[in-house]
Amino acid sequence: MHDPRVILSPAETGSELDGSGFTHEDHLVGAFRTADFASAVRLLDAVAVEADAADHHPDVHLGWGRISFELSSHDVGGVTSRDVALARRIRELAEEQGAKPV
């Protein structure tokens, strides 16, 4: 795992994001399809608990049957290993709840 204060390039995160549902732009972006609005909210609730525990707060876009996340470490101005770890955890939570990457 990389130093959480070091900004990572897309080349450095590519293999770590494989299968996560996230892509690396200037931040990490991941979108998931859910059965309905309530299930998207349940996924958001689960992610909120994990994000707070990690002292990390993603930007979230919520709609009927869909939810997307944008992750970056604002304190260092880019994507770090903390973002990658949260992206992978979000993917696990989505899978547990039956949400599929878009």
Side-chain angles (χ1 to χ4, degrees):
M1 181 66 62
H2 301 275
D3 182 331
R5 298 165 301 203
V6 173
I7 295 174
L8 303 173
S9 70
E12 294 172 299
T13 61
S15 64
E16 293 184 60
L17 293 176
D18 284 347
S20 71
F22 281 82
T23 58
H24 186 155
E25 298 169 9
D26 60 334
H27 50 279
L28 301 184
V29 178
F32 299 88
R33 174 82 40 214
T34 64
D36 53 26
F37 186 75
S39 59
V41 171
R42 283 191 295 276
L43 178 54
L44 175 56
D45 286 342
V47 169
V49 170
E50 296 286 332
D52 271 345
D55 195 27
H56 203 324
H57 307 98
D59 292 327
V60 179
H61 302 277
L62 181 67
W64 191 94
R66 61 183 167 72
I67 185 168
S68 63
F69 301 91
E70 295 177 5
L71 308 174
S72 73
S73 295
H74 302 289
D75 56 337
V76 296
V79 172
T80 68
S81 61
R82 290 181 3 183
D83 303 299
V84 174
L86 184 56
R88 294 177 84 179
R89 183 62 183 135
I90 290 171
R91 174 63 175 115
E92 291 170 356
L93 293 167
E95 189 172 288
E96 289 170 9
Q97 295 194 24
K100 303 292 181 197
V102 175

